[in-house]
Amino acid sequence: MILEPVLQLRGDGGQHDLRSNRSPEARLEEAIGLSAAINLNIVHSGIVRISNPKPATLFGEGKVAEFAGIVASEDLDLVVIDHPLSPVQQRNLERRLKTKVIDRTGLILEIFGDRARTKEGRLQVDLAHLSWQKSRLVRSWTHLERQRGGAGFMGGPGETQIEADRRQIQDRIIALQKQLQGVRRTRDLHRKKRKKIPQPVVALVGYTNAGKSTLFNRLTEADVFAKDLLFATLDPTLRKVSLPHGREVIVSDTVGFISDLPTHLVAAFRATLEEVLEADLILHVRDISHADTDAQAEDVRKTLSDLGVDAISGAPVVEVWNKIDCLDPAYRQKLLEDAGEEGPIALSALTGEGVGGLLARMDAFMAQHDDILALKIPVAEGALLAKLYQLAEVLERTDAEDFVTAEVRVSDKQRGPFRDTFGAHIVD
């Protein structure tokens, strides 16, 4: 059973939904999609409006009794509450409903655990799960309390079982954090190696199921798992892409974002999302056919801001409006006309429509800080001429009897190595 609580605030204009950035129906549909992502069989779902949230159970007594009846009659194994639950609320609901209860964070963690494939992904999932579980140790273990220490009433109680569990979890968290620090060091080494052979990095970000992995496969001709499924991709993937003028860039596919993503989840996946922080260009992929595309875009911007990426200090962000093949033809045409040369890029990663425009925009962005230089190199310098094609894009070349003259484009990242090698041959 999936329940979508709608907490309502009484005001002058009546009652207002506290999470009004999107409709309750859309939020319920997303929760159903999240549950379907781990193959849960959904028997019952519904929206529950709450005007007076109860600290003990969130819902009122009547609603709790109603849900207990549904759980018993349908013999349900799991109830998903698409809303944060306090540890006490989760415990009380499990007692009253006589079945397992998880909140939105618990559901997302279950999906992450199911999707993680690499060692790094599993470490991040374990860390996020333990951080969440640590606050859930609310059961009474007093019957397992250890023997009092000291003499008479002067001695305090020994360590209870719940304290022992919490300590063991904390020890495990520390161990996982150390392992993830090793992952971060490895990633830093890889980045340093990439910077020695400078290639710009383009990061794909977006709401989950916006089509990032499909676009990644289209750009790179890779075979990354892509499916119409929330959180289909968890582990980061990097591939080289050749742009129209021959320049190579590295494209990074990242985990999808989602609304109400808990802070400790973002922290656990920071090693993965650091690829975004190091990017030269960020492509914000949006499912433009989704009814809540604007609200989804705002959630992505908020998560990017939490990571330290903003419009002033971070890499430039270009919006990519994906899934235009799902739009009404007239509306699609209007989007394409409104986008213009400098606005969002409208495309379909599935059909390939508009992908050429994206590659051209990426190429133009990477070229805006390039140097256009004229060179004059002796014909006998064959090795130097070969090196020219490695460090620059040759726009024009003329071979004479004694010298080769060329006009080349040099990227800003290659500017230093190029001038070190060809400084004596640059024509003013």
Side-chain angles (χ1 to χ4, degrees), residues 263-280:
T263 306
H264 66 264
L265 277 184
V266 176
F269 280 80
R270 192 172 183 85
T272 299
L273 295 171
E274 278 177 354
E275 295 295 343
V276 178
L277 298 176
E278 294 290 329
D280 297 275

Side-chain angles (χ1 to χ4, degrees), residues 46-87:
I47 295 169
V48 187
R49 301 189 184 276
I50 305 171
S51 56
N52 185 22
K54 304 297 182 185
T57 55
L58 184 64
F59 307 102
E61 286 297 317
K63 283 294 181 183
V64 173
E66 178 187 334
F67 302 149
I70 296 172
V71 169
S73 63
E74 299 288 351
D75 193 24
L76 302 182
D77 299 314
L78 177 67
V79 174
V80 177
I81 312 293
D82 188 37
H83 189 275
L85 291 177
S86 71

Side-chain angles (χ1 to χ4, degrees), residues 164-313:
D165 287 353
R166 186 174 283 118
R167 177 173 51 77
Q168 288 177 4
I169 286 177
Q170 184 60 36
D171 290 345
R172 178 67 178 145
I173 286 174
I174 292 171
L176 287 172
Q177 288 172 337
K178 287 181 179 178
Q179 291 183 64
L180 280 171
Q181 285 175 1
V183 170
R184 189 171 289 114
R185 284 194 295 270
T186 302
R187 284 192 176 279
D188 287 342
L189 287 172
H190 289 168
R191 289 193 193 101
K192 287 175 182 176
K193 286 182 180 178
R194 289 203 299 266
K195 287 176 180 177
K196 288 181 181 178
I197 309 175
Q199 288 175 321
V201 175
V202 178
L204 301 180
V205 301
Y207 206 80
T208 182
N209 207 30
K212 297 183 302 302
S213 295
T214 304
L215 179 59
F216 181 84
N217 289 339
R218 173 70 64 175
L219 293 173
T220 64
E221 298 181 357
D223 191 26
V224 171
F225 178 64
K227 194 175 180 181
D228 184 17
L229 200 66
L230 296 176
F231 290 117
T233 305
L234 261 192
D235 299 307
T237 312
L238 293 88
R239 295 285 190 278
K240 284 184 183 179
V241 173
S242 294
L243 299 180
H245 286 93
R247 182 197 310 270
E248 286 189 336
V249 298
I250 294 174
V251 177
S252 171
D253 186 20
T254 59
V255 62
F257 299 159
I258 197 166
S259 64
D260 302 324
L261 192 64
T263 306
H264 66 264
L265 277 184
V266 176
F269 280 80
R270 192 172 183 85
T272 299
L273 295 171
E274 278 177 354
E275 295 295 343
V276 178
L277 298 176
E278 294 290 329
D280 297 275
L281 177 66
I282 297 173
L283 300 181
H284 176 187
V285 183
R286 291 177 56 180
D287 177 0
I288 203 64
S289 69
H290 198 284
D292 281 327
T293 182
D294 291 334
Q296 290 180 353
E298 187 57 37
D299 287 325
V300 172
R301 293 187 195 105
K302 182 180 181 302
T303 306
L304 285 176
S305 177
D306 291 343
L307 286 169
V309 176
D310 56 57
I312 299 172
S313 62

Side-chain angles (χ1 to χ4, degrees), residues 2-6 8 17 19-34 45-49 82 104 290-292 296:
I2 300 174
L3 300 176
E4 181 62 52
V6 179
Q8 296 176 314
D17 183 359
R19 297 162 68 196
S20 57
N21 62 329
R22 64 186 67 194
S23 68
E25 291 76 15
R27 296 202 301 265
L28 177 60
E29 181 184 351
E30 181 177 273
I32 291 172
L34 287 168
S45 63
I47 295 169
V48 187
R49 301 189 184 276
D82 188 37
R104 182 179 179 84
H290 198 284
D292 281 327
Q296 290 180 353

Side-chain angles (χ1 to χ4, degrees), residues 146-159:
R146 294 183 182 176
Q147 186 177 5
R148 251 176 218 280
F153 62 90
M154 295 296 292
E159 186 178 44

Side-chain angles (χ1 to χ4, degrees), residues 119-176:
K119 179 183 177 182
E120 176 190 356
R122 289 192 293 271
L123 285 173
Q124 291 172 137
V125 170
D126 287 347
L127 177 59
H129 204 286
L130 286 170
S131 300
W132 178 76
Q133 187 180 347
K134 186 181 174 184
S135 66
R136 304 275 135 177
L137 296 175
V138 295
R139 291 171 293 174
S140 294
W141 292 79
T142 52
H143 62 290
L144 293 176
E145 186 177 63
R146 294 183 182 176
Q147 186 177 5
R148 251 176 218 280
F153 62 90
M154 295 296 292
E159 186 178 44
T160 61
Q161 182 64 48
I162 193 170
E163 290 166 343
D165 287 353
R166 186 174 283 118
R167 177 173 51 77
Q168 288 177 4
I169 286 177
Q170 184 60 36
D171 290 345
R172 178 67 178 145
I173 286 174
I174 292 171
L176 287 172

